[in-house]
Amino acid sequence: MSSRRRFLAGGAVAGSAGLALSVGRLAVPASAEQTGTHAGAHGGGVAGPTFRLGSMVDPNTNGFDPSKVLRDFDYGTVSRLPGGRTLREWEIASSDKELEIAPGVRYPAWTFNGRIPGPTLRCTEGDLLRVKFTNSSAHPHTMHFHGLHPADMDGVPGIGRGVIEPGESFTYEFDASPFGLHLYHCHVSPLAEHIARGLYGTFIVDPPRPRPPADEMVMVMHGFNTTFDGEGNQLYAVNGIPFHYMHHPVRVKRNELVRIYLVNVLEYDPINSFHIHGNFFDYYPTGTRLEPSEFTDTIVQAQGQRGICELRFPYPGQYMFHAHKTEFAELGWMGFFEVGE
Ligand code: CU
Ligand code: CU
């Protein structure tokens, strides 16, 4: 029995992160309780390690706020090369940082720029990209990007510059291609742990002709193996903090086009999923084509898979979104959209 399932069965696991979740109902926004759209349909009242009613992580505690991470696109420092081409430059540093991932639960994370997920790097196809990576962690790391690039820019051990040791820097340089929704992550062994500790982020390459204007947001699906046993996860999240968007719903406007850049980096579980209530979305796998492949309300992604979801909310109110792997939902991977006029 995995530690995650022992958790769900109500067993106490005293992990190296000092996990001490209280048993109780899931905390949901007061207004959601009143409208009856609360977690009861999906997990309220389950026996297991959930959050004490109303308790939550203060977004200021960790130095990043998942509500801001959601729409935080980092376009880098932009300049023009001779001939008119765009150059984008970023400085990214890895560091070891203890985060409060649930009330009273501290997790020894490894981060890019002090946050989980790392910054969302965004560019346009054909730009020249320079990413200066500094390893301020006590452990060796790299930045490995998905996309087209030469082997010595791949950020894997033994090729090109290879591993970046603590205190060292290296600048990855490559062209932005192909357009789509990609990711980056550390690629040092043991790979599962280097990723699970938090070293990942979203990498968006916009098509030369931009997608239509929309309320855009990034959702990175991941988990926390707080016991470090490599057997599943004890907590699941989008953009860093389990249950964050239950307490702080994602506010959107009725009938406005919403575009979600959805990335799965979940370690230790083979699949993740995304499901939305009261709505359907167009799905663009990997974002590398401009025509959707599917019109649905649920998609699954293996680790490293990602895709763009486009939708409009026809009705006001609160709508849940969560992993349709409901076990993950009850351990943190759920939230609300709040649709206003
Ligand atoms: Cu690493
Ligand atoms: Cu990868």
Side-chain angles (χ1 to χ4, degrees):
M1 189 189 247
S2 74
S3 59
R4 167 162 50 84
R5 289 186 175 80
R6 278 198 297 276
F7 250 78
L8 277 174
V13 177
S16 54
L19 195 58
L21 295 179
S22 58
V23 176
R25 292 193 57 232
L26 290 168
V28 297
S31 52
E33 294 262 16
Q34 285 151 15
T35 55
T37 58
H38 67 76
H42 283 275
V46 290
T50 54
F51 292 178
R52 193 180 295 112
L53 189 64
S55 71
M56 63 183 95
V57 173
D58 178 351
N60 299 313
T61 304
N62 297 312
F64 67 89
D65 179 349
S67 292
K68 297 196 175 112
V69 166
L70 192 72
R71 294 184 176 92
D72 183 8
F73 299 97
D74 186 342
Y75 291 88
T77 303
V78 181
S79 57
R80 294 257 170 250
L81 293 162
R85 199 175 163 206
T86 297
L87 168 68
R88 290 181 198 274
E89 296 173 281
W90 291 274
E91 293 198 1
I92 308 289
S94 58
S95 63
D96 306 338
K97 184 175 177 181
E98 193 176 76
L99 302 177
E100 188 182 18
I101 56 169
V105 180
R106 305 196 70 83
Y107 181 81
W110 298 344
T111 67
F112 286 127
N113 284 7
R115 40 175 270 184
I116 293 181
T120 298
L121 308 186
R122 189 160 184 180
C123 57
T124 300
E125 191 176 58
D127 294 347
L128 178 63
L129 313 181
R130 281 188 194 136
V131 183
K132 184 184 178 191
F133 171 56
T134 300
N135 186 359
S136 303
S137 162
H139 309 271
H141 300 303
T142 65
M143 286 184 82
H144 159 73
F145 283 82
H146 287 224
L148 294 170
H149 49 243
D152 58 0
M153 291 297 150
D154 199 40
V156 297
I159 298 178
R161 174 64 183 267
V163 167
I164 313 302
E165 297 292 342
E168 294 186 347
S169 294
F170 179 71
T171 301
Y172 299 95
E173 179 174 319
F174 50 92
D175 297 340
S177 175
F179 79 77
L181 170 55
H182 310 310
L183 62 154
Y184 64 88
H185 53 85
C186 176
H187 217 297
V188 171
S189 185
L191 188 51
E193 185 180 3
H194 279 252
I195 293 177
R197 290 266 196 158
L199 291 171
Y200 44 78
T202 303
F203 172 45
I204 299 172
V205 180
D206 286 319
R209 231 177 104 213
R211 297 172 200 279
D215 179 4
E216 297 194 313
M217 56 193 74
V218 171
M219 292 191 183
V220 179
M221 307 188 286
H222 63 102
F224 292 105
N225 178 213
T226 58
T227 60
F228 297 93
D229 63 359
E231 296 181 44
N233 296 280
Q234 286 68 45
L235 289 167
Y236 295 82
V238 167
N239 293 345
I241 304 299
F243 294 118
H244 176 87
Y245 302 110
M246 295 296 287
H247 302 292
H248 309 277
V250 177
R251 290 176 201 285
V252 295
K253 285 206 183 82
R254 184 159 85 104
N255 289 329
E256 187 174 39
L257 181 63
V258 172
R259 180 174 299 125
I260 305 166
Y261 294 91
L262 180 73
V263 180
N264 180 36
V265 290
L266 181 64
E267 199 55 75
Y268 305 126
D269 284 290
I271 61 152
N272 210 332
S273 54
F274 174 94
H275 167 59
I276 190 154
H277 286 211
N279 215 331
F280 270 62
F281 53 86
D282 281 315
Y283 188 61
Y284 304 77
T286 323
T288 44
R289 296 281 183 271
L290 297 173
E291 305 77 36
S293 68
E294 204 176 349
F295 185 55
T296 181
D297 63 4
T298 306
I299 55 104
V300 295
Q301 291 180 346
Q303 189 186 30
Q305 277 193 302
R306 64 276 183 191
I308 299 172
C309 308
E310 284 186 349
L311 68 164
R312 295 171 199 267
F313 291 87
Y315 303 111
Q318 285 186 311
Y319 298 92
M320 288 194 82
F321 64 103
H322 60 88
H324 217 303
K325 177 82 174 132
T326 49
E327 187 181 15
F328 297 177
E330 288 166 354
L331 292 172
W333 180 171
M334 61 164 86
F336 276 108
F337 280 98
E338 186 164 326
V339 184
E341 294 294 338

